Amino acid sequence: MVENKQGDKGDEKNPHPETHVMVEIVTTSGTWPDEGFDKVPAHQKIQVLLEKAVKKLRIADVNGWIATVGDKELNVDSSYLDNGLTGRVSIDYGPREGGGGCARSCI
Amino acid sequence: MVLAKEAVAVHEVASKALFDAEVELLPQRLLDLRGWRVISGTYPILDVKFESNGRVGRVQMICDDWNEQPPSIQFLSEDGELLSIIARDPAGVINVGPHPLTGRSFICIPGSREYHTHSSHTGDLWDNYKGKSDFNLGGILTKVWRAWQKSPK
């Protein structure tokens, strides 16, 4: 194992793990940033950029929203690296489907 | 009465303006990422195809009186024919039905006109949700899309 100055542990194949990722947040109210991607520390919690995007896009309430990349739901309280995200990342942010209104068939 | 007609006309103008603004807000980046293709975004119809892993779905939201009323949501075939029966998703967002008014499968969550007009939910008023972030046209369509993704092929 190889440690860099930040204490990140790389390996022999990748002695210098990525310190940053390029991220865009995509919602039905717009994207953040407007164009291109934001360069963020790979060890930063995903929640940090989500909060920034929500504020910039003036989304009032994100209670129950989920962040996904492809079919994978992310743990937003963990970092990009902990979520296995590297390089260029497009995060889809929006409400989950919720539960149906009827426990049984609506009669 | 002239005044009543004028009021209706003004309301329809406002409804269309809000519809147009919300449809225009959907970024192309989102459409590309999700595999959404807008077939029609002309008031009062928002008609969107979902394309994912070789599978195609199509949803039509009839948004007359938006957002005083939630949209009426129905599934179409790929070619645009109205579908009467849709398979239920695990969460039950898609209710096989039939809905007592439409006679078809329907979306059974707040934000769907069919939900709020079903006798089991008439007490859960649309006014409780109107204007909230989850309940603009994009938010409602997102929920329907997620349920569709999880429904049987």
Side-chain angles (χ1 to χ4, degrees):
Chain A
M1 302 288 276
V2 176
E3 285 197 19
N4 63 21
K5 287 183 183 177
Q6 287 80 28
D8 296 333
K9 291 182 170 58
D11 54 32
E12 286 185 1
K13 288 184 182 177
N14 185 16
H16 303 289
E18 287 185 48
T19 56
H20 290 83
V21 290
M22 304 298 290
V23 184
E24 64 167 353
I25 307 296
V26 183
T27 79
T28 52
S29 295
T31 62
W32 178 260
D34 283 341
E35 289 182 8
F37 291 71
D38 217 358
K39 185 177 180 181
V40 297
H43 287 284
Q44 184 180 87
K45 287 186 183 179
I46 293 174
Q47 183 65 31
V48 172
L49 195 65
L50 290 177
E51 287 176 356
K52 184 177 180 181
V54 164
K55 190 175 177 181
K56 295 290 185 182
L57 294 173
R58 298 180 184 178
I59 300 170
D61 181 12
V62 294
N63 187 34
W65 282 34
I66 58 173
T68 58
V69 171
D71 294 331
K72 180 185 173 186
E73 184 174 338
L74 305 176
N75 179 353
V76 301
D77 289 324
S78 294
S79 70
Y80 297 91
L81 277 183
D82 287 342
N83 275 278
L85 301 175
T86 59
R88 188 169 284 223
V89 178
S90 297
I91 296 179
D92 183 324
Y93 193 40
R96 60 172 76 249
E97 71 272 25
C102 301
R104 305 172 189 174
S105 296
C106 292
I107 300 173
Chain B
M1 291 192 51
V2 173
L3 283 178
K5 281 186 182 176
E6 284 178 349
V8 168
V10 167
H11 179 72
E12 186 167 357
V13 167
S15 181
K16 181 180 183 303
L18 185 59
F19 173 95
D20 288 346
E22 290 189 21
V23 171
E24 199 174 309
L25 197 59
L26 297 173
Q28 187 60 46
R29 189 72 190 105
L30 177 101
L31 303 181
D32 293 341
L33 200 63
R34 291 184 174 182
W36 288 10
R37 194 152 60 92
V38 179
I39 306 300
S40 170
T42 303
Y43 179 82
I45 305 290
L46 179 58
D47 183 336
V48 179
K49 264 191 189 177
F50 302 148
E51 294 166 345
S52 172
N53 297 325
R55 187 183 174 202
V56 179
R58 187 167 168 180
V59 166
Q60 186 176 87
M61 294 167 68
I62 303 173
C63 307
D64 57 303
D65 206 15
W66 177 251
N67 65 353
E68 286 302 308
Q69 294 294 330
S72 173
I73 305 172
Q74 44 208 13
F75 284 90
L76 307 180
S77 70
E78 193 173 344
D79 298 329
E81 299 218 2
L82 199 56
L83 296 176
S84 294
I85 298 176
I86 307 295
R88 184 185 185 275
D89 65 299
V93 172
I94 301 171
N95 190 303
V96 176
H99 190 280
L101 298 179
T102 69
R104 295 187 294 270
S105 298
F106 62 100
I107 296 296
C108 194
I109 51 170
S112 154
R113 192 175 301 181
E114 285 72 31
Y115 171 89
H116 293 284
T117 56
H118 194 288
S119 55
S120 297
H121 312 297
T122 50
D124 194 3
L125 302 176
W126 165 241
D127 280 350
N128 294 332
Y129 304 93
K130 188 174 83 170
K132 293 185 177 177
S133 303
D134 282 18
F135 294 93
N136 58 14
L137 293 178
I140 296 169
L141 191 58
T142 294
K143 296 176 188 182
V144 175
W145 169 66
R146 291 205 200 279
W148 170 80
Q149 283 186 304
K150 294 175 181 174
S151 66
K153 293 184 182 180

